Amino acid sequence: MRRPLTALALGAALLTGPAAPAAANTDPSWTDRAIGFAADATGGAAGRTVRATTLAELRAWAIAPEPLTIEIAGRIQVDPFGDMITVGHDKTIVGAGTKARNEPASGSMPSAGGGELVGGGLFLNGSRNVIIRDLTIRDSYIPGDFDGKSPDNDNDGIRLDTAELVWIDHVRIERVGDGGIDIRKDSDRVTLSWNVISDVNKALGVGWTSNVVTRLTAHHNWIRNTVQRNWSLDNTAAAHLFNNYLSDVTQYGTMSRNNARVVVEDSVFEHVNDPLVTHGAAAQLVQRRNLFTATAGRTDSAGPAFDPAALYPYSPDPATKIKDLIRRYAGPRAQSSRTPRTVTVALDGTGDYGSLLAALGATRDARGRVEIVMRPGHYREQVRIWPDQSDVTIRGEGDVLISYDMPAAAAKFYGGLQGPAGAATLALLGDGTVLQNVSIEATGAPAVRAAGDRALLIGTHLTGDYEAVTGRGHLRAGTITGRLDGPGTTVVEATTITPQAP
C-alpha cells in the first residue's frame, strides 16, 4: 500500500521542509535529518518523486542529472549478479510501500514490506548529497568464497568511492559478497544510523588511501553474526561511533588503524572478540561508557582523538538502553515476521543459502529446533553457533566438508595469537547443537570447540581436535583425527580417535 504524501515527507522527499503533521508513527528513530557529519544531506528533496519497479528504471533514475527521490517498490533482482548500481548526485533512494512500525496493521500489508535489492548493491562513485533509507540489500554472496577474495566477488552492499554528504539510514544489509558498507577513497561527511549489517564476513571498512580525510558519524547501528571489520577505520580524520550494538563477532570488533582518530561511546559489545583495537603507533581511540558483555581480548584506548561535541550537537542514549532500542527500531520499518525452521545450504545455488553462516543467521530467531540441511560440497568458512541460538541441527546430505585454515598459533595482524577460541573452524556456543553426517577440518586448531551444553555429534568426522570447554557432549559413530581434550564432560561411543603427529 502506498503511503500518503505526508508520510513520504518524513521518509525521503521533503527532508529540508517544515515538519509534517504528526501521524500515527511514534517511532523515535525516524527523523527528517541526519545527526552528525551528514546533517546537511537533502538527497533528492529538490526534485520529483519517482517509483522504480524494474532494474532498468532504477538504473536510469539513479544516474539522472536531476534531483530525484526514487522509491524502490518490491524486490528488484540485479543482473548481472553482483553488479553495483551507480548512484549520481542529489538522490534519495528509499523503500516504497512500507508502514511505520506503530501504524495500524492492514490486511494488504505484505509480511516483508518495503524495497529490496537482491543480488547486487549501490555504488556512489564521486557522488554528492545522497540519502539511502528504509531498504534491504541482500544476497550477493558467491558460495564458496567466504573471505571475498575472488575478483568476481567484490560485491559490497553499499560502496562509497570519493563520495560526499551521504546519509544511510534504516537499511538492512545481509549475505553480501564482500563488505556490508565500504567507505573508500577519501569519502567524507557520512552518517550511518539505525542500520543492520548481518550474516557477512566483513561488515564495514573505511579507507583505501593514505590521506586523513574521512569524517564519519555512526549511531544506533546493529552489527551481528560477522567476522571482521566491525568497523575497520583507516586514516579517518574523525570517526564518531556512539550507541551502536555489536553482537556475535568472530575475529575482531572496532579497529582504529594507522592515522585514524576514533571515538566510541555508549555502545554495547556482546560476544565480541577483541572489541576495541588500535593498530599502528599513530592510531587514536577514545572509549567511554561502553558495555562489554561476554567479550574477550582487547579494549584499547590511545591518544586524545577529538571531541565530537565541539563538531555538532548530539544526545547519546545510555548504553543500558541500546540493545532494546536497536532490536526494536533498527533496519527497515517493515520487517518480516516469518523465520524459517528448516533451510537448505548448497554451493550450486539450489539451496536457500550459500553458506552455513548465512543459514544460521536466517534461522536464529526461530522458536523450537532448527534443521539446516547441507548439500554436498566443500564449505570453507569459519562459523559460530552463538549462545543466543539453541537447538540447531546441522545435517549433511552426502559428502559435506566444513573447513577453515587458521592455526591457533597464527599471529593476528594487529598483535597477539589467534588461540584455540579464535582459530576453531566451528564453535558450538549455544545449547542443544546436533551435528550429523558432516566432516569438519581445521589446521593446527580445534575442528570443533564446544562451549555450550548438550552437544551431540553423530557420524561426524573431525580432522583436528574436539575441544570440550564446558557443558556436556556426546560423540557417536564418528572419527577424530586429532585430540579429544578439555574440561567438559564428553561421552564417546563407537568413535575412532587417531592422534595426529605433533
Side-chain angles (χ1 to χ4, degrees):
M1 183 181 74
R2 187 169 183 174
R3 285 179 287 147
L5 185 59
T6 53
L8 281 173
L10 287 176
L14 301 175
L15 293 171
T16 58
N25 176 21
T26 59
D27 183 343
S29 70
W30 193 256
T31 61
D32 61 354
R33 188 181 184 190
I35 295 172
F37 289 116
D40 293 334
T42 58
R48 60 195 176 106
T49 297
V50 296
R51 177 167 289 206
T53 60
T54 68
L55 179 61
E57 289 174 338
L58 177 59
R59 287 191 190 277
W61 280 322
I63 59 171
E66 61 181 303
L68 287 175
T69 292
I70 306 166
E71 299 178 343
I72 295 181
R75 184 180 74 177
I76 292 181
Q77 184 77 42
V78 177
D79 183 31
F81 180 83
D83 196 25
M84 306 290 292
I85 296 168
T86 300
V87 179
H89 305 308
D90 303 317
K91 299 294 184 293
T92 294
I93 298 179
V94 61
T98 64
K99 280 183 175 291
R101 287 184 178 87
N102 294 315
E103 290 184 41
S106 168
S108 62
M109 185 64 192
S111 61
E116 289 190 320
L117 198 60
V118 181
L122 299 175
F123 185 20
L124 281 59
N125 188 10
S127 308
R128 188 183 186 281
N129 189 28
V130 175
I131 296 173
I132 303 170
R133 306 188 81 180
D134 216 15
L135 186 66
T136 295
I137 300 174
R138 62 176 178 86
D139 292 307
S140 64
Y141 172 74
I142 293 180
D145 187 26
F146 182 73
D147 291 331
K149 298 299 185 183
S150 166
D152 298 328
N153 197 23
D154 190 18
N155 304 336
D156 301 324
I158 302 175
R159 183 188 305 156
L160 282 62
D161 279 1
T162 324
E164 184 179 7
L165 200 58
V166 177
W167 182 21
I168 302 172
D169 177 66
H170 285 86
V171 173
R172 177 184 299 276
I173 299 174
E174 55 192 6
R175 301 183 298 273
V176 295
D178 193 42
I181 300 175
D182 277 355
I183 301 171
R184 317 190 316 175
K185 300 181 180 179
D186 302 338
S187 293
D188 192 23
R189 293 201 288 166
V190 179
T191 294
L192 312 177
S193 55
W194 299 100
N195 303 299
V196 179
I197 302 176
S198 67
D199 311 331
V200 65
N201 187 336
K202 293 172 278 192
L204 187 146
V206 178
W208 286 268
T209 79
S210 59
N211 301 321
V212 184
V213 172
T214 302
R215 291 170 291 175
L216 166 70
T217 303
H219 68 90
H220 294 93
N221 299 285
W222 189 2
I223 296 178
R224 60 175 179 171
N225 195 32
T226 62
V227 180
Q228 56 183 315
R229 298 186 186 175
N230 306 287
W231 296 281
S232 175
L233 303 160
D234 186 21
N235 292 327
T236 53
H240 181 205
L241 281 54
F242 71 94
N243 286 161
N244 297 296
Y245 178 29
L246 277 67
S247 61
D248 303 343
V249 172
T250 298
Q251 288 188 13
Y252 65 91
T254 298
M255 179 180 294
S256 175
R257 303 179 65 165
N258 295 322
N259 293 292
R261 294 191 283 269
V262 180
V263 175
V264 181
E265 55 186 353
D266 299 288
S267 295
V268 177
F269 297 81
E270 184 176 50
H271 300 122
V272 178
N273 288 319
D274 292 328
L276 294 172
V277 176
T278 57
H279 179 44
Q284 300 181 39
L285 192 156
V286 170
Q287 55 147 315
R288 50 190 174 227
R289 301 183 303 275
N290 299 299
L291 293 181
F292 300 94
T293 303
T295 61
R298 293 165 59 169
T299 54
D300 293 352
S301 297
F306 63 98
D307 179 12
L311 302 177
Y312 51 76
Y314 71 104
S315 299
D317 294 306
T320 53
K321 295 184 178 181
I322 292 308
K323 281 181 61 174
D324 179 67
L325 285 170
I326 287 179
R327 285 178 178 270
R328 185 173 182 183
Y329 294 115
R333 295 185 298 166
Q335 305 282 359
S336 173
S337 59
R338 179 180 177 272
T339 301
R341 289 178 55 186
T342 301
V343 298
T344 302
V345 182
L347 295 175
D348 61 2
T350 61
D352 300 303
Y353 302 99
S355 71
L356 178 55
L357 179 141
L360 288 164
T363 56
R364 72 182 136 239
D365 297 323
R367 295 184 178 181
R369 179 158 292 279
V370 165
E371 183 175 44
I372 298 172
V373 179
M374 301 187 71
R375 290 183 178 155
H378 179 189
Y379 298 81
R380 183 187 173 276
E381 52 183 302
Q382 190 178 34
V383 182
R384 305 291 180 255
I385 300 176
W386 296 102
D388 53 3
Q389 188 169 15
S390 60
D391 297 327
V392 174
T393 295
I394 299 171
R395 178 170 59 85
E397 194 176 73
D399 188 8
V400 173
L401 172 63
I402 305 166
S403 77
Y404 203 72
D405 44 358
M406 178 182 287
K412 301 173 184 177
F413 72 89
Y414 51 87
L417 300 180
Q418 292 291 343
T425 296
L426 179 60
L428 314 181
L429 309 177
D431 295 339
T433 301
V434 176
L435 305 179
Q436 185 174 4
N437 299 333
V438 296
S439 296
I440 305 168
E441 185 175 273
T443 302
V448 172
R449 188 173 188 269
D453 194 28
R454 295 180 289 108
L456 174 60
L457 280 63
I458 305 172
T460 299
H461 304 283
L462 309 185
T463 301
D465 300 340
Y466 177 88
E467 184 181 11
V469 181
T470 60
R472 297 164 293 175
H474 185 182
L475 279 57
R476 188 170 77 222
T479 62
I480 300 175
T481 304
R483 299 181 303 164
L484 191 155
D485 199 6
T489 301
T490 305
V491 175
V492 181
E493 178 184 357
T495 293
T496 302
I497 301 175
T498 306
Q500 286 181 313

mmCIF file with all atom_site columns, all heavy atoms in Angstrom, residues 169-188:
data_model
loop_
_atom_site.group_PDB
_atom_site.id
_atom_site.type_symbol
_atom_site.label_atom_id
_atom_site.label_alt_id
_atom_site.label_comp_id
_atom_site.label_asym_id
_atom_site.label_entity_id
_atom_site.label_seq_id
_atom_site.pdbx_PDB_ins_code
_atom_site.Cartn_x
_atom_site.Cartn_y
_atom_site.Cartn_z
_atom_site.occupancy
_atom_site.B_iso_or_equiv
_atom_site.pdbx_formal_charge
_atom_site.auth_seq_id
_atom_site.auth_comp_id
_atom_site.auth_asym_id
_atom_site.auth_atom_id
_atom_site.pdbx_PDB_model_num
ATOM 1   N N   . ASP A 1 169 ? 20.421 5.211   6.288  1.00 0.00 ? 169 ASP A N   1
ATOM 2   C CA  . ASP A 1 169 ? 19.566 5.152   7.467  1.00 0.00 ? 169 ASP A CA  1
ATOM 3   C C   . ASP A 1 169 ? 18.528 4.042   7.329  1.00 0.00 ? 169 ASP A C   1
ATOM 4   O O   . ASP A 1 169 ? 17.883 3.899   6.282  1.00 0.00 ? 169 ASP A O   1
ATOM 5   C CB  . ASP A 1 169 ? 18.870 6.513   7.635  1.00 0.00 ? 169 ASP A CB  1
ATOM 6   C CG  . ASP A 1 169 ? 17.899 6.559   8.793  1.00 0.00 ? 169 ASP A CG  1
ATOM 7   O OD1 . ASP A 1 169 ? 18.356 6.453   9.952  1.00 0.00 ? 169 ASP A OD1 1
ATOM 8   O OD2 . ASP A 1 169 ? 16.686 6.713   8.553  1.00 0.00 ? 169 ASP A OD2 1
ATOM 9   N N   . HIS A 1 170 ? 18.363 3.238   8.380  1.00 0.00 ? 170 HIS A N   1
ATOM 10  C CA  . HIS A 1 170 ? 17.345 2.181   8.418  1.00 0.00 ? 170 HIS A CA  1
ATOM 11  C C   . HIS A 1 170 ? 17.470 1.227   7.225  1.00 0.00 ? 170 HIS A C   1
ATOM 12  O O   . HIS A 1 170 ? 16.487 0.823   6.607  1.00 0.00 ? 170 HIS A O   1
ATOM 13  C CB  . HIS A 1 170 ? 15.926 2.771   8.455  1.00 0.00 ? 170 HIS A CB  1
ATOM 14  C CG  . HIS A 1 170 ? 15.550 3.337   9.800  1.00 0.00 ? 170 HIS A CG  1
ATOM 15  N ND1 . HIS A 1 170 ? 15.856 4.622   10.169 1.00 0.00 ? 170 HIS A ND1 1
ATOM 16  C CD2 . HIS A 1 170 ? 14.910 2.777   10.855 1.00 0.00 ? 170 HIS A CD2 1
ATOM 17  C CE1 . HIS A 1 170 ? 15.402 4.842   11.397 1.00 0.00 ? 170 HIS A CE1 1
ATOM 18  N NE2 . HIS A 1 170 ? 14.843 3.736   11.844 1.00 0.00 ? 170 HIS A NE2 1
ATOM 19  N N   . VAL A 1 171 ? 18.690 0.859   6.915  1.00 0.00 ? 171 VAL A N   1
ATOM 20  C CA  . VAL A 1 171 ? 18.952 -0.089  5.827  1.00 0.00 ? 171 VAL A CA  1
ATOM 21  C C   . VAL A 1 171 ? 19.406 -1.412  6.434  1.00 0.00 ? 171 VAL A C   1
ATOM 22  O O   . VAL A 1 171 ? 20.180 -1.437  7.386  1.00 0.00 ? 171 VAL A O   1
ATOM 23  C CB  . VAL A 1 171 ? 20.020 0.463   4.863  1.00 0.00 ? 171 VAL A CB  1
ATOM 24  C CG1 . VAL A 1 171 ? 20.414 -0.586  3.820  1.00 0.00 ? 171 VAL A CG1 1
ATOM 25  C CG2 . VAL A 1 171 ? 19.503 1.730   4.176  1.00 0.00 ? 171 VAL A CG2 1
ATOM 26  N N   . ARG A 1 172 ? 18.925 -2.504  5.874  1.00 0.00 ? 172 ARG A N   1
ATOM 27  C CA  . ARG A 1 172 ? 19.366 -3.844  6.263  1.00 0.00 ? 172 ARG A CA  1
ATOM 28  C C   . ARG A 1 172 ? 20.229 -4.415  5.152  1.00 0.00 ? 172 ARG A C   1
ATOM 29  O O   . ARG A 1 172 ? 19.813 -4.461  3.987  1.00 0.00 ? 172 ARG A O   1
ATOM 30  C CB  . ARG A 1 172 ? 18.173 -4.766  6.505  1.00 0.00 ? 172 ARG A CB  1
ATOM 31  C CG  . ARG A 1 172 ? 18.571 -6.219  6.844  1.00 0.00 ? 172 ARG A CG  1
ATOM 32  C CD  . ARG A 1 172 ? 17.334 -7.105  6.985  1.00 0.00 ? 172 ARG A CD  1
ATOM 33  N NE  . ARG A 1 172 ? 16.497 -6.631  8.051  1.00 0.00 ? 172 ARG A NE  1
ATOM 34  C CZ  . ARG A 1 172 ? 16.657 -6.925  9.347  1.00 0.00 ? 172 ARG A CZ  1
ATOM 35  N NH1 . ARG A 1 172 ? 17.645 -7.716  9.718  1.00 0.00 ? 172 ARG A NH1 1
ATOM 36  N NH2 . ARG A 1 172 ? 15.844 -6.452  10.260 1.00 0.00 ? 172 ARG A NH2 1
ATOM 37  N N   . ILE A 1 173 ? 21.448 -4.843  5.507  1.00 0.00 ? 173 ILE A N   1
ATOM 38  C CA  . ILE A 1 173 ? 22.369 -5.435  4.539  1.00 0.00 ? 173 ILE A CA  1
ATOM 39  C C   . ILE A 1 173 ? 22.777 -6.798  5.059  1.00 0.00 ? 173 ILE A C   1
ATOM 40  O O   . ILE A 1 173 ? 23.305 -6.913  6.174  1.00 0.00 ? 173 ILE A O   1
ATOM 41  C CB  . ILE A 1 173 ? 23.607 -4.538  4.338  1.00 0.00 ? 173 ILE A CB  1
ATOM 42  C CG1 . ILE A 1 173 ? 23.188 -3.163  3.805  1.00 0.00 ? 173 ILE A CG1 1
ATOM 43  C CG2 . ILE A 1 173 ? 24.600 -5.195  3.385  1.00 0.00 ? 173 ILE A CG2 1
ATOM 44  C CD1 . ILE A 1 173 ? 24.318 -2.174  3.704  1.00 0.00 ? 173 ILE A CD1 1
ATOM 45  N N   . GLU A 1 174 ? 22.523 -7.837  4.286  1.00 0.00 ? 174 GLU A N   1
ATOM 46  C CA  . GLU A 1 174 ? 22.821 -9.183  4.758  1.00 0.00 ? 174 GLU A CA  1
ATOM 47  C C   . GLU A 1 174 ? 23.221 -10.084 3.591  1.00 0.00 ? 174 GLU A C   1
ATOM 48  O O   . GLU A 1 174 ? 22.753 -9.938  2.474  1.00 0.00 ? 174 GLU A O   1
ATOM 49  C CB  . GLU A 1 174 ? 21.624 -9.775  5.513  1.00 0.00 ? 174 GLU A CB  1
ATOM 50  C CG  . GLU A 1 174 ? 20.330 -9.778  4.736  1.00 0.00 ? 174 GLU A CG  1
ATOM 51  C CD  . GLU A 1 174 ? 19.111 -10.088 5.592  1.00 0.00 ? 174 GLU A CD  1
ATOM 52  O OE1 . GLU A 1 174 ? 19.253 -10.183 6.819  1.00 0.00 ? 174 GLU A OE1 1
ATOM 53  O OE2 . GLU A 1 174 ? 18.011 -10.244 5.024  1.00 0.00 ? 174 GLU A OE2 1
ATOM 54  N N   . ARG A 1 175 ? 24.167 -10.983 3.909  1.00 0.00 ? 175 ARG A N   1
ATOM 55  C CA  . ARG A 1 175 ? 24.597 -12.023 2.977  1.00 0.00 ? 175 ARG A CA  1
ATOM 56  C C   . ARG A 1 175 ? 25.124 -11.446 1.664  1.00 0.00 ? 175 ARG A C   1
ATOM 57  O O   . ARG A 1 175 ? 24.836 -11.958 0.581  1.00 0.00 ? 175 ARG A O   1
ATOM 58  C CB  . ARG A 1 175 ? 23.458 -13.018 2.722  1.00 0.00 ? 175 ARG A CB  1
ATOM 59  C CG  . ARG A 1 175 ? 22.959 -13.715 3.967  1.00 0.00 ? 175 ARG A CG  1
ATOM 60  C CD  . ARG A 1 175 ? 21.894 -14.748 3.653  1.00 0.00 ? 175 ARG A CD  1
ATOM 61  N NE  . ARG A 1 175 ? 20.715 -14.168 3.049  1.00 0.00 ? 175 ARG A NE  1
ATOM 62  C CZ  . ARG A 1 175 ? 19.681 -13.669 3.730  1.00 0.00 ? 175 ARG A CZ  1
ATOM 63  N NH1 . ARG A 1 175 ? 19.685 -13.669 5.052  1.00 0.00 ? 175 ARG A NH1 1
ATOM 64  N NH2 . ARG A 1 175 ? 18.644 -13.166 3.094  1.00 0.00 ? 175 ARG A NH2 1
ATOM 65  N N   . VAL A 1 176 ? 25.918 -10.379 1.749  1.00 0.00 ? 176 VAL A N   1
ATOM 66  C CA  . VAL A 1 176 ? 26.541 -9.839  0.550  1.00 0.00 ? 176 VAL A CA  1
ATOM 67  C C   . VAL A 1 176 ? 27.926 -10.449 0.380  1.00 0.00 ? 176 VAL A C   1
ATOM 68  O O   . VAL A 1 176 ? 28.472 -11.066 1.297  1.00 0.00 ? 176 VAL A O   1
ATOM 69  C CB  . VAL A 1 176 ? 26.608 -8.301  0.593  1.00 0.00 ? 176 VAL A CB  1
ATOM 70  C CG1 . VAL A 1 176 ? 25.204 -7.725  0.583  1.00 0.00 ? 176 VAL A CG1 1
ATOM 71  C CG2 . VAL A 1 176 ? 27.377 -7.798  1.811  1.00 0.00 ? 176 VAL A CG2 1
ATOM 72  N N   . GLY A 1 177 ? 28.511 -10.268 -0.798 1.00 0.00 ? 177 GLY A N   1
ATOM 73  C CA  . GLY A 1 177 ? 29.728 -10.988 -1.118 1.00 0.00 ? 177 GLY A CA  1
ATOM 74  C C   . GLY A 1 177 ? 30.961 -10.472 -0.405 1.00 0.00 ? 177 GLY A C   1
ATOM 75  O O   . GLY A 1 177 ? 31.810 -11.254 0.021  1.00 0.00 ? 177 GLY A O   1
ATOM 76  N N   . ASP A 1 178 ? 31.081 -9.156  -0.263 1.00 0.00 ? 178 ASP A N   1
ATOM 77  C CA  . ASP A 1 178 ? 32.276 -8.587  0.357  1.00 0.00 ? 178 ASP A CA  1
ATOM 78  C C   . ASP A 1 178 ? 31.839 -7.714  1.533  1.00 0.00 ? 178 ASP A C   1
ATOM 79  O O   . ASP A 1 178 ? 31.242 -8.204  2.471  1.00 0.00 ? 178 ASP A O   1
ATOM 80  C CB  . ASP A 1 178 ? 33.087 -7.812  -0.687 1.00 0.00 ? 178 ASP A CB  1
ATOM 81  C CG  . ASP A 1 178 ? 34.488 -7.470  -0.208 1.00 0.00 ? 178 ASP A CG  1
ATOM 82  O OD1 . ASP A 1 178 ? 35.138 -8.338  0.406  1.00 0.00 ? 178 ASP A OD1 1
ATOM 83  O OD2 . ASP A 1 178 ? 34.930 -6.347  -0.450 1.00 0.00 ? 178 ASP A OD2 1
ATOM 84  N N   . GLY A 1 179 ? 32.112 -6.419  1.515  1.00 0.00 ? 179 GLY A N   1
ATOM 85  C CA  . GLY A 1 179 ? 31.765 -5.582  2.651  1.00 0.00 ? 179 GLY A CA  1
ATOM 86  C C   . GLY A 1 179 ? 30.295 -5.208  2.682  1.00 0.00 ? 179 GLY A C   1
ATOM 87  O O   . GLY A 1 179 ? 29.671 -4.995  1.633  1.00 0.00 ? 179 GLY A O   1
ATOM 88  N N   . GLY A 1 180 ? 29.746 -5.126  3.883  1.00 0.00 ? 180 GLY A N   1
ATOM 89  C CA  . GLY A 1 180 ? 28.382 -4.620  4.001  1.00 0.00 ? 180 GLY A CA  1
ATOM 90  C C   . GLY A 1 180 ? 28.295 -3.192  3.498  1.00 0.00 ? 180 GLY A C   1
ATOM 91  O O   . GLY A 1 180 ? 27.524 -2.868  2.590  1.00 0.00 ? 180 GLY A O   1
ATOM 92  N N   . ILE A 1 181 ? 29.101 -2.306  4.084  1.00 0.00 ? 181 ILE A N   1
ATOM 93  C CA  . ILE A 1 181 ? 29.274 -0.936  3.607  1.00 0.00 ? 181 ILE A CA  1
ATOM 94  C C   . ILE A 1 181 ? 30.769 -0.658  3.563  1.00 0.00 ? 181 ILE A C   1
ATOM 95  O O   . ILE A 1 181 ? 31.465 -0.844  4.555  1.00 0.00 ? 181 ILE A O   1
ATOM 96  C CB  . ILE A 1 181 ? 28.577 0.087   4.522  1.00 0.00 ? 181 ILE A CB  1
ATOM 97  C CG1 . ILE A 1 181 ? 27.068 -0.186  4.609  1.00 0.00 ? 181 ILE A CG1 1
ATOM 98  C CG2 . ILE A 1 181 ? 28.821 1.506   4.015  1.00 0.00 ? 181 ILE A CG2 1
ATOM 99  C CD1 . ILE A 1 181 ? 26.338 0.722   5.594  1.00 0.00 ? 181 ILE A CD1 1
ATOM 100 N N   . ASP A 1 182 ? 31.264 -0.228  2.417  1.00 0.00 ? 182 ASP A N   1
ATOM 101 C CA  . ASP A 1 182 ? 32.661 0.175   2.271  1.00 0.00 ? 182 ASP A CA  1
ATOM 102 C C   . ASP A 1 182 ? 32.704 1.664   1.951  1.00 0.00 ? 182 ASP A C   1
ATOM 103 O O   . ASP A 1 182 ? 32.088 2.114   0.968  1.00 0.00 ? 182 ASP A O   1
ATOM 104 C CB  . ASP A 1 182 ? 33.364 -0.625  1.177  1.00 0.00 ? 182 ASP A CB  1
ATOM 105 C CG  . ASP A 1 182 ? 33.865 -1.976  1.673  1.00 0.00 ? 182 ASP A CG  1
ATOM 106 O OD1 . ASP A 1 182 ? 33.751 -2.244  2.887  1.00 0.00 ? 182 ASP A OD1 1
ATOM 107 O OD2 . ASP A 1 182 ? 34.355 -2.763  0.845  1.00 0.00 ? 182 ASP A OD2 1
ATOM 108 N N   . ILE A 1 183 ? 33.446 2.423   2.771  1.00 0.00 ? 183 ILE A N   1
ATOM 109 C CA  . ILE A 1 183 ? 33.576 3.868   2.607  1.00 0.00 ? 183 ILE A CA  1
ATOM 110 C C   . ILE A 1 183 ? 35.025 4.128   2.221  1.00 0.00 ? 183 ILE A C   1
ATOM 111 O O   . ILE A 1 183 ? 35.916 4.078   3.060  1.00 0.00 ? 183 ILE A O   1
ATOM 112 C CB  . ILE A 1 183 ? 33.187 4.589   3.904  1.00 0.00 ? 183 ILE A CB  1
ATOM 113 C CG1 . ILE A 1 183 ? 31.738 4.239   4.281  1.00 0.00 ? 183 ILE A CG1 1
ATOM 114 C CG2 . ILE A 1 183 ? 33.343 6.095   3.766  1.00 0.00 ? 183 ILE A CG2 1
ATOM 115 C CD1 . ILE A 1 183 ? 31.336 4.724   5.661  1.00 0.00 ? 183 ILE A CD1 1
ATOM 116 N N   . ARG A 1 184 ? 35.270 4.401   0.944  1.00 0.00 ? 184 ARG A N   1
ATOM 117 C CA  . ARG A 1 184 ? 36.621 4.333   0.411  1.00 0.00 ? 184 ARG A CA  1
ATOM 118 C C   . ARG A 1 184 ? 37.050 5.645   -0.241 1.00 0.00 ? 184 ARG A C   1
ATOM 119 O O   . ARG A 1 184 ? 36.248 6.516   -0.523 1.00 0.00 ? 184 ARG A O   1
ATOM 120 C CB  . ARG A 1 184 ? 36.709 3.208   -0.633 1.00 0.00 ? 184 ARG A CB  1
ATOM 121 C CG  . ARG A 1 184 ? 36.005 1.930   -0.237 1.00 0.00 ? 184 ARG A CG  1
ATOM 122 C CD  . ARG A 1 184 ? 36.287 0.760   -1.157 1.00 0.00 ? 184 ARG A CD  1
ATOM 123 N NE  . ARG A 1 184 ? 36.253 1.082   -2.561 1.00 0.00 ? 184 ARG A NE  1
ATOM 124 C CZ  . ARG A 1 184 ? 36.576 0.224   -3.538 1.00 0.00 ? 184 ARG A CZ  1
ATOM 125 N NH1 . ARG A 1 184 ? 36.938 -1.013  -3.213 1.00 0.00 ? 184 ARG A NH1 1
ATOM 126 N NH2 . ARG A 1 184 ? 36.537 0.572   -4.805 1.00 0.00 ? 184 ARG A NH2 1
ATOM 127 N N   . LYS A 1 185 ? 38.359 5.729   -0.476 1.00 0.00 ? 185 LYS A N   1
ATOM 128 C CA  . LYS A 1 185 ? 38.964 6.732   -1.351 1.00 0.00 ? 185 LYS A CA  1
ATOM 129 C C   . LYS A 1 185 ? 38.562 8.159   -0.981 1.00 0.00 ? 185 LYS A C   1
ATOM 130 O O   . LYS A 1 185 ? 38.071 8.932   -1.810 1.00 0.00 ? 185 LYS A O   1
ATOM 131 C CB  . LYS A 1 185 ? 38.624 6.426   -2.820 1.00 0.00 ? 185 LYS A CB  1
ATOM 132 C CG  . LYS A 1 185 ? 39.145 5.061   -3.262 1.00 0.00 ? 185 LYS A CG  1
ATOM 133 C CD  . LYS A 1 185 ? 38.836 4.773   -4.715 1.00 0.00 ? 185 LYS A CD  1
ATOM 134 C CE  . LYS A 1 185 ? 39.361 3.397   -5.115 1.00 0.00 ? 185 LYS A CE  1
ATOM 135 N NZ  . LYS A 1 185 ? 39.068 3.064   -6.529 1.00 0.00 ? 185 LYS A NZ  1
ATOM 136 N N   . ASP A 1 186 ? 38.748 8.485   0.300  1.00 0.00 ? 186 ASP A N   1
ATOM 137 C CA  . ASP A 1 186 ? 38.564 9.853   0.795  1.00 0.00 ? 186 ASP A CA  1
ATOM 138 C C   . ASP A 1 186 ? 37.112 10.322  0.730  1.00 0.00 ? 186 ASP A C   1
ATOM 139 O O   . ASP A 1 186 ? 36.844 11.524  0.563  1.00 0.00 ? 186 ASP A O   1
ATOM 140 C CB  . ASP A 1 186 ? 39.462 10.840  0.048  1.00 0.00 ? 186 ASP A CB  1
ATOM 141 C CG  . ASP A 1 186 ? 40.938 10.483  0.157  1.00 0.00 ? 186 ASP A CG  1
ATOM 142 O OD1 . ASP A 1 186 ? 41.304 9.770   1.109  1.00 0.00 ? 186 ASP A OD1 1
ATOM 143 O OD2 . ASP A 1 186 ? 41.718 10.915  -0.712 1.00 0.00 ? 186 ASP A OD2 1
ATOM 144 N N   . SER A 1 187 ? 36.168 9.401   0.888  1.00 0.00 ? 187 SER A N   1
ATOM 145 C CA  . SER A 1 187 ? 34.783 9.840   1.056  1.00 0.00 ? 187 SER A CA  1
ATOM 146 C C   . SER A 1 187 ? 34.670 10.636  2.354  1.00 0.00 ? 187 SER A C   1
ATOM 147 O O   . SER A 1 187 ? 35.430 10.428  3.303  1.00 0.00 ? 187 SER A O   1
ATOM 148 C CB  . SER A 1 187 ? 33.850 8.627   1.101  1.00 0.00 ? 187 SER A CB  1
ATOM 149 O OG  . SER A 1 187 ? 33.823 7.971   -0.153 1.00 0.00 ? 187 SER A OG  1
ATOM 150 N N   . ASP A 1 188 ? 33.713 11.566  2.401  1.00 0.00 ? 188 ASP A N   1
ATOM 151 C CA  . ASP A 1 188 ? 33.665 12.488  3.538  1.00 0.00 ? 188 ASP A CA  1
ATOM 152 C C   . ASP A 1 188 ? 32.226 12.869  3.860  1.00 0.00 ? 188 ASP A C   1
ATOM 153 O O   . ASP A 1 188 ? 31.337 12.799  3.004  1.00 0.00 ? 188 ASP A O   1
ATOM 154 C CB  . ASP A 1 188 ? 34.480 13.748  3.203  1.00 0.00 ? 188 ASP A CB  1
ATOM 155 C CG  . ASP A 1 188 ? 34.727 14.637  4.411  1.00 0.00 ? 188 ASP A CG  1
ATOM 156 O OD1 . ASP A 1 188 ? 34.668 14.125  5.545  1.00 0.00 ? 188 ASP A OD1 1
ATOM 157 O OD2 . ASP A 1 188 ? 34.987 15.841  4.222  1.00 0.00 ? 188 ASP A OD2 1
#
